[in-house]
Amino acid sequence: MAKQANGAAIVRYGETVLLVTATASKAPRPGLDFFPLTVDYEEKQYAVGKIPGGFIKREGRATEIATLSARQIDRPIRPLFPKGFRNDIHVVATVLSVEKDNAPDVTAVIGASVALGVSDIPFAGPVAAVIVGMVDGQLIINPTVEQYHKSDLHLVVAGTKEAIMMVEGEANEIPEQDMLEAIFFAHEEIKRIVAFQEPIYKELAKEKMEVPEVCIDPEIETAVNEYSLALLEEAVKNPDKKTREAHMDEAAESILTHFEEIYPENLDDISNLIDKIMKEIVRKMILEDRERVDGRKLDEIRQISCEVGFLPRPHGSGLFTRGQTQVLSVTTLGPISEEQRLDGLGIDETKRYIHHYNFPPYSVGEIKPMRGPGRREIGHGALAERALMPVIPSADEFPYTIRVVSEVLESNGSSSMGSVCGSTLSLMHAGVPIKAPVSGIAMGLVKSEDQFAILSDIQGIEDALGDMDFKLTGTAKGVTALQMDIKILGVNREIVSAALEQAREGRMYIMDKMLEVIDKPNEKLSPYAPQMIKMQIKPDKIREVIGPGGKTIHKIVAESGCKIDIEDDGSLFIIATDNEGANRAKFLIESIIAEVEVGKIYTGTVKRIMDFGAFVEIIPGVLGSSGKEGLVHISQLAEDRVNKVKDVVDIGDQITVKVTEIDNQGRINLSRKAVLKAAK
């Protein structure tokens, strides 16, 4: 299958089946200074027996889940290609069949590893991935759907036989030590899947492409090193990003100008050497001098400031600034009916808490077209969403759909973690009763052989020149989400353990700064937020509220000015802009669904008089509907004998009566006499 690709694999896990292909260009792309790897994850609706919706009836652009799955494949395989390899590589994972209990996304990672391994593309695999769940304190590999809904952990771990390459997941406030155990519990299973692949590599792998060596004349390298080192060391040390970049650009320009007459044919090599020297300077400062380019200690957090209520009209807003990273998070509350419907192959069909992340080019001082969210924006938004999801109240506790948008206004490292912090502030300002505040931090790593240094709150240059980007979020109780990307051939238990502990200390410091500004959710919602009243009615009463052709509910909406949502289980939501309208809608609905109860006392209006008694409306009709009437027999009008009904009551009189019986034909019998006796 797919024999024109450089490598292909059909991977089957239970009844989940994927075709994964790896294709390479015949030659490297000239002039590139990065590795051109593209990964696509193609969801096919036929895989779960569905026909796509809409007019066109075919799959359109990738869903958010497909984009996240593609990133999940990319991140563990990218570091395993040779340095200097510049051929275009395209990995495509096509989901052909899905059994809900067997996740296609981690299966795709294994398929990509096999497809690359049997191809002629140079690749230092095998690599494998698994999901770890935790049910009743027990760790489980690749939990079923039933176990997933009970699990306190959903962790995707990828790695080679030797080390961990990628971690991503969400947790229900799990302690760091438990998270460490989960990661290396996964690694034991990864080793077994890697061992399964090794014979396939050995038997089927083609001869690998040659990777051209980048050879620079030693004479040029020595000359550039001697001339550039002091200039670059001075340029790189500055706490301000723009100033530092300007000094680095000036130094690089000066170096190139100096050598353009000496080595006019080798300016590209000299430019590459400048980048290499700069990287070595930064890494040496961290590993040997324990100093960072902005003068901070390894575990030092940049200056933090927080503000809530920055915007007057939105339902909640939080402005979080850490160093030169600044994020404005804005909360909007809406009715449950506005939850997001998901059109993918996953187990979740709707989403009530939605987090979107925007990274405009001005945040890093760049100019480029803005064409909607890319993979980075979708990935960072999903990470922030996972971070806060464990503390979002249930629909029963807080019957709203919640959308938070994080606008990155300035970025110099870890804007996704700034989004988590800003969104916690925004949610609390909006009055969302979150279970606990959440903070986040990004950790870095510089490693050389057995020596390593863990960095807290990394900035852009440390991310670019370092070996790890480890983002971790949590409450005071434990971890809620994490994402770890490795740029070297994996990390061991010692490094992960140290990073988790240092991250905990850092995020607790950040949380303290946040809580100085707002330490709990506001008790009242914004006056501009929709007022929400939740009612529970019997499902067989839904038709009465809706009425024939929807006439009754349309009248309620018109008279109250409210929006009304009704679910199949009888959950009814009144969404209003003011209390008067909400209360009017509630009264109308309660009147429509009201049931007469035997033994209950009502005050009603006499509507008709007969020789044998009076008919009293005990529940008034609304919106043109008839109310509920009962008969007070002449013998039940008073304690003494009554000769004529009109001797006691007349049409329009208000009287208090007790329901004594509802017969098998639904007729209601009332007694005024019983009320009078009880009053004595």
Side-chain angles (χ1 to χ4, degrees), residues 179-380:
M179 189 63 72
L180 181 68
E181 294 304 322
I183 292 170
F184 287 93
F185 178 74
H187 193 222
E188 292 306 310
E189 191 66 29
I190 286 168
K191 290 176 185 177
R192 286 191 277 274
I193 302 172
V194 167
F196 168 77
Q197 295 178 58
E198 285 173 338
I200 302 173
Y201 271 50
K202 188 174 180 180
E203 182 178 346
L204 300 178
K206 302 172 186 174
E207 184 178 346
K208 299 298 181 182
M209 300 178 184
E210 287 188 12
V211 181
E213 289 187 32
V214 179
C215 294
I216 298 176
D217 189 326
E219 178 190 324
I220 297 174
E221 189 165 0
T222 301
V224 172
N225 266 307
E226 289 176 352
Y227 183 83
S228 306
L229 192 60
L231 278 172
L232 293 174
E233 281 179 340
E234 184 179 352
V236 80
K237 293 181 181 180
N238 198 293
D240 182 74
K241 177 186 175 184
K242 292 188 78 170
T243 304
R244 180 172 62 248
E245 288 179 346
H247 288 173
M248 288 163 62
D249 289 344
E250 288 171 10
E253 188 64 32
S254 172
I255 295 163
L256 288 168
T257 301
H258 174 78
F259 285 107
E260 66 182 353
E261 290 186 7
I262 305 171
Y263 302 115
E265 305 296 323
N266 302 94
L267 292 182
D268 285 345
D269 288 343
I270 293 168
S271 182
N272 290 334
L273 281 171
I274 292 170
D275 291 340
K276 179 184 176 185
I277 295 165
M278 187 74 72
K279 182 174 182 177
E280 288 172 351
I281 290 169
V282 173
R283 294 172 66 87
K284 179 177 177 291
M285 284 174 61
I286 292 168
L287 279 174
E288 296 181 13
D289 304 333
R290 315 306 278 183
E291 184 185 353
R292 300 162 75 168
V293 294
D294 57 2
R296 281 186 292 152
K297 298 175 183 176
L298 300 189
D299 61 352
E300 187 176 344
I301 311 297
R302 289 171 288 179
Q303 186 175 353
I304 291 170
S305 68
C306 306
E307 186 175 343
V308 296
F310 182 76
L311 301 176
R313 279 279 177 168
H315 305 154
S317 59
L319 183 65
F320 179 83
T321 307
R322 184 195 57 242
Q324 292 178 296
T325 294
Q326 185 179 65
V327 182
L328 174 65
S329 289
V330 185
T331 299
T332 307
L333 305 177
I336 292 291
S337 59
E338 290 184 3
E339 66 185 355
Q340 184 179 4
R341 301 192 181 280
L342 305 176
D343 187 21
L345 307 182
I347 57 179
D348 294 323
E349 296 181 353
T350 60
K351 190 161 66 172
R352 190 179 131 259
Y353 172 65
I354 306 158
H355 195 123
H356 291 148
Y357 166 100
N358 295 319
F359 191 86
Y362 63 74
S363 66
V364 286
E366 293 180 353
I367 300 167
K368 66 178 182 179
M370 296 175 68
R371 307 191 189 279
R375 289 189 172 191
R376 184 180 188 276
E377 285 83 356
I378 291 170
H380 280 22

Side-chain angles (χ1 to χ4, degrees), residues 134-179:
M134 180 185 286
V135 178
D136 297 329
Q138 297 297 312
L139 295 174
I140 299 169
I141 293 291
N142 292 353
T144 64
V145 172
E146 183 182 355
Q147 290 169 331
Y148 168 81
H149 288 299
K150 298 175 183 176
S151 180
D152 289 322
L153 176 68
H154 183 80
L155 192 69
V156 179
V157 183
T160 63
K161 181 167 60 177
E162 290 81 16
I164 298 296
M165 299 299 301
M166 185 272 291
V167 180
E168 180 173 58
E170 58 193 284
N172 188 17
E173 300 179 274
I174 287 179
E176 279 78 2
Q177 187 59 39
D178 290 351
M179 189 63 72

Side-chain angles (χ1 to χ4, degrees), residues 45-88:
Q45 291 289 314
Y46 57 67
V48 289
K50 289 183 181 177
I51 295 174
F55 238 9
I56 301 173
K57 296 295 181 188
R58 73 177 298 164
E59 292 80 5
R61 62 172 293 178
T63 65
E64 184 174 297
I65 294 298
T67 299
L68 296 174
S69 298
R71 284 169 56 87
Q72 198 170 273
I73 300 167
D74 182 305
R75 288 173 10 229
I77 66 172
R78 184 175 288 271
L80 300 178
F81 292 91
K83 287 184 178 179
F85 189 54
R86 295 293 182 262
N87 293 54
D88 283 274

Side-chain angles (χ1 to χ4, degrees), residues 11 22 58 60 102 124 182-183 192 235 275 355 446 449 460 600 630 680:
V11 55
R58 73 177 298 164
N102 299 325
I183 292 170
R192 286 191 277 274
D275 291 340
H355 195 123
V446 175
E449 297 180 351
K600 191 171 180 179
K680 289 182 177 181

Side-chain angles (χ1 to χ4, degrees), residues 632-642 648 672-673 676:
V632 183
H633 192 267
I634 192 170
S635 64
Q636 296 297 314
L637 278 170
E639 293 183 84
D640 301 326
R641 178 181 173 81
V642 177
V648 181
R672 181 168 176 266
K673 182 199 291 189
L676 294 172

